[in-house]
Each structure stands twice: as C-alpha cells, then as structure tokens.
C-alpha cells in the first residue's frame, strides 16, 4: 500500500510540463527507456577489501536474455574473474550496453596488439592503465610530460581531462572459462561478448592503486555474488 501511494505521486511523462515530442520530452523518454544497467552499493561489511576502495557496486549491465545465456554457459564450462579498465568517457556505453567487441569497428579506441575481442586482465595494474589510472608515484618525468601536454590543449579539452583524472573506474567481470580466451601472460582477449558479464564496479580517486590479482579474490567474489543472488 505504501509503495502504491508513492507510485501514485509520480506524474506520468504526459503530465510533465513538456511539449509532446519536444527535445526535453524525448530526452527524458530516452533516459527512462534505454537504461539497462543496475547498480547496488555494496555494504561495508560485504566489500572486497583487496580492492582498497569504499566505492564498490554490484553491476548488472546485460539484458535478461544475455544473462540467461551466460548462466547456461557457466554451468557447462565454469567461470573465472578478470578486470576491465576503461576511461571515464566510455562508461556511459558500458553501463547501458555491457562490454562489446569493438575491435575493427569505428568504436575501437585502443590498438589490438593481442587480437580482436574484449580486453581483460587478471592484474589490476594492467586494467588500471587502460582506465587512465596512474600507478607510478615515482614517475615525475611522466607527470611533467602530462602537464606540458595539458598546456597545449584548449580549455574544454583541459577541463575534460581534469575530470577524467579525478575519477577512475574498473569493472570486475565474470568470464566463461572457455578455450577461446586468448591468454598472453595476464592479458586476456575474449572474442565473444556473451562470454563476459560485468559483476562489480570499483571507483577510485586519481592516485589510488587498487587490488591485486583476481585469483587471490575468487572465493570472496563468488561469495558476494551468491549472497546477492547473481
């Protein structure tokens, strides 16, 4: 009854003060209907302490069909965990669409030195690099070069880069333990997007150094997912 009362207080999109098919109306409609992601803040008692951040979220970004297919493959082959790092501006797409194989498409932002597919790693330092996270406190030369580069940018670019430096995001993904994973040391390339599901989202300030290797956290990750019925 309380929930129904709350829902009754929420106006419909038609009742909001927008002209039908105005930019504001269409934008709100798109926001409401296109978002597939679901984020849940993990309570402090259940957080993965190895990740060294209090900003930890359970993250579901795939549609129900993709999730069902993943669980079926997981029963057949089992699963493992790996990290995925990406710059701040990429997360709008990741949150709404999940991770995709952008290799060879107009959406590819990095090279494909290890082949085409979704790039993951068992080592946070590798994924941190892809997120723009600075893991080297001693590199004054790198800091100087970065500062000089910023001076050459226009004002908007500098503001965007400053924001990107303030927040870094790394996902912990559950991956089907398939022979199709191309493993080169701690760098994994997964050609099939349906073999990768985002499970956790970790947020860091610019100079934090997260976690370790996923193999050191496997039991904790499985326990947390089981507790929240993933």
């Amino acid at each position: 009854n309380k929930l129904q009362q709350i829902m009754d207080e929420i106006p419909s999109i038609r009742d909001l003060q927008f002209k039908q098919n105005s930019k504001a109306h269409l934008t709100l409609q798109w926001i409401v209907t296109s978002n597939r992601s679901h984020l849940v803040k993990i309570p402090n008692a259940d957080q993965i302490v190895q990740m060294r951040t209090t900003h930890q979220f359970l993250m579901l970004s795939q549609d129900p069909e993709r999730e069902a297919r993943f669980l079926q493959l997981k029963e057949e082959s089992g699963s493992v965990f790996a990290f995925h790092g990406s710059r701040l501006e990429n997360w709008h797409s990741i949150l709404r669409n999940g991770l995709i194989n952008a290799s060879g498409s107009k959406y590819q932002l990095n090279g494909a030195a290890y082949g085409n597919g979704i790039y993951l790693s068992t080592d946070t330092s590798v994924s941190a690099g892809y997120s723009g996270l600075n893991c080297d406190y001693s590199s004054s030369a790198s800091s100087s070069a970065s500062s000089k580069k910023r001076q050459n940018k226009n004002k908007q670019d500098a503001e965007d880069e400053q924001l990107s430096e303030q927040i870094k995001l790394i996902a912990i993904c559950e991956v089907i333990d398939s022979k199709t994973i191309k493993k080169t040391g701690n760098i994994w390339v997964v050609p099939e997007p349906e073999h990768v599901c985002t499970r956790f989202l970790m947020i860091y300030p610019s100079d934090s150094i997260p976690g370790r290797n996923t193999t050191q956290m496997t039991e904790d990750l499985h326990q947390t997912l089981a507790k929240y019925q993933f």
Side-chain angles (χ1 to χ4, degrees):
N1 290 337
K2 288 182 179 179
L3 180 59
Q4 185 62 55
Q5 291 172 8
I6 293 172
M7 296 302 295
D8 289 342
E9 292 177 9
I10 300 175
S12 69
I13 290 180
R14 284 192 302 272
D15 293 335
L16 297 176
Q17 298 303 307
F18 294 134
K19 291 181 179 179
Q20 191 75 9
N21 296 325
S22 69
K23 289 183 179 179
H25 173 269
L26 293 173
T27 299
L28 179 60
Q29 187 177 54
W30 174 78
I31 290 171
V32 171
T33 60
S34 68
N35 183 30
R36 294 175 175 172
S37 62
H38 183 60
L39 295 175
V40 177
K41 183 74 163 64
I42 302 176
N44 291 341
D46 294 331
Q47 291 191 354
I48 312 300
V49 294
Q50 296 95 325
M51 292 307 295
R52 304 180 193 172
T53 177
T54 58
H55 307 293
Q56 300 189 14
F57 298 84
L58 290 165
M59 175 183 177
L60 183 65
S61 62
Q62 54 274 3
D63 57 51
E65 292 79 11
R66 181 170 169 178
E67 178 70 22
R69 175 59 177 157
F70 182 89
L71 294 177
Q72 180 184 346
L73 291 170
K74 180 178 175 179
E75 276 201 23
E76 297 170 1
S77 304
S79 66
V80 289
F81 292 98
F83 300 106
H84 178 83
S86 194
R87 295 187 65 84
L88 184 62
E89 58 267 26
N90 301 331
W91 285 93
H92 178 271
S93 174
I94 296 172
L95 285 168
R96 288 178 174 271
N97 305 305
L99 291 170
I100 63 172
N101 181 355
S103 298
S105 75
K106 65 180 181 179
Y107 302 109
Q108 180 176 341
L109 298 178
N110 300 300
Y114 298 94
N116 294 337
I118 297 171
Y119 276 63
L120 305 162
S121 179
T122 55
D123 190 333
T124 47
S125 64
V126 175
S127 297
Y130 282 96
S131 74
L133 192 62
N134 180 15
C135 291
D136 186 2
Y137 290 114
S138 64
S139 182
S140 57
S142 174
S143 177
S144 176
S146 177
S147 177
K148 189 173 182 180
K149 182 179 179 182
R150 281 196 297 270
Q151 291 174 5
N152 295 329
K153 289 179 176 286
N154 62 40
K155 183 178 179 181
Q156 184 60 53
D157 286 344
E159 290 176 353
D160 290 346
E161 184 170 318
Q162 184 179 22
L163 176 61
S164 183
E165 288 177 350
Q166 291 172 353
I167 302 174
K168 307 300 177 186
L169 293 86
I170 292 178
I172 302 178
C173 304
E174 191 173 10
V175 186
I176 298 301
D177 194 7
S178 166
K179 293 181 180 178
T180 61
I181 301 175
K182 301 174 184 176
K183 298 181 180 180
T184 306
N186 53 26
I187 296 177
W188 293 4
V189 182
V190 183
E192 305 90 347
E194 63 270 18
H195 286 194
V196 181
C197 281
T198 54
R199 293 307 194 201
F200 299 90
L201 180 66
M202 306 289 165
I203 303 177
Y204 296 90
S206 60
D207 286 328
S208 292
I209 301 178
R212 308 175 200 171
N213 191 292
T214 48
T215 57
Q216 299 168 328
M217 299 183 288
T218 298
E219 185 176 349
D220 289 341
L221 294 172
H222 276 305
Q223 287 179 353
T224 303
L225 293 179
K227 184 171 183 177
Y228 290 89
Q229 297 183 342
F230 269 89

